[in-house]
Amino acid sequence: MADYVLEIVEGPEAGRMIPLAGPVELGRDAGAGVALQQDELLSRRHVRITPEADGVMVEDLDSRNGTFVDGDQIYSPAHLAVDGQLLVGVTVLQLRTAASGATALRPIPADFTVLRPLPALQPDATTIRPVAPALAVPEAEPDYVPSAALGQGASALFPLLDVHTKGKAKGAPIGIFVLVAFAVIIYFGLR
């Protein structure tokens, strides 16, 4: 039987290697075989992993958020092959052979670190000063409303309205007056 390693490829403890010499339980509890205490969606005792000749057997221990093997939720013991993925909580683990020594983690490309630089230290190296993002631009005044119209109410915007809107705005008070007049006439007529 080959020696296996579970590598955390995504989640709070990414990069951590968990050797599998025998059956092991993963969970949030410090008493579990392997404690992943930074993942809050893990149950105290979440999953049992048992090495076999051609992979590992994964058994969900009635966890609250479930266990997923290669993207499928499991309800009974399931087989996980080498290079397969196991999802528990928000942690993604990948099964590897101990002899391969390969890692699924890739370094962050330099292009991405330029977009969001790390905080720079001030000369005394004790405090951190914020660094503006590389793509930040100063806030601009709106160009769709003239600055003279801002704060002066609707009268300054009236010349900017089209003819159709102006006609409706002028006719609305007359329409309301006529409607109220008809309502009063009908009320007194039916009495």
Side-chain angles (χ1 to χ4, degrees), residues 90-173:
V90 295
T91 302
V92 177
L93 302 110
Q94 191 162 16
L95 183 66
R96 302 234 182 250
T97 58
S100 72
T103 180
L105 295 178
R106 292 182 222 131
I108 298 172
D111 294 344
F112 292 135
T113 58
V114 172
L115 295 177
R116 189 172 192 179
L118 297 173
L121 294 177
Q122 290 183 351
D124 63 355
T126 57
T127 58
I128 296 176
R129 63 178 171 81
V131 176
L135 299 176
V137 295
E139 186 175 346
E141 290 292 323
D143 59 353
Y144 49 88
V145 177
S147 58
L150 295 176
Q152 295 180 3
S155 61
L157 291 176
F158 195 74
L160 301 174
L161 298 176
D162 64 57
V163 176
H164 187 67
T165 306
K166 287 180 187 178
K168 286 189 175 186
K170 289 180 181 176

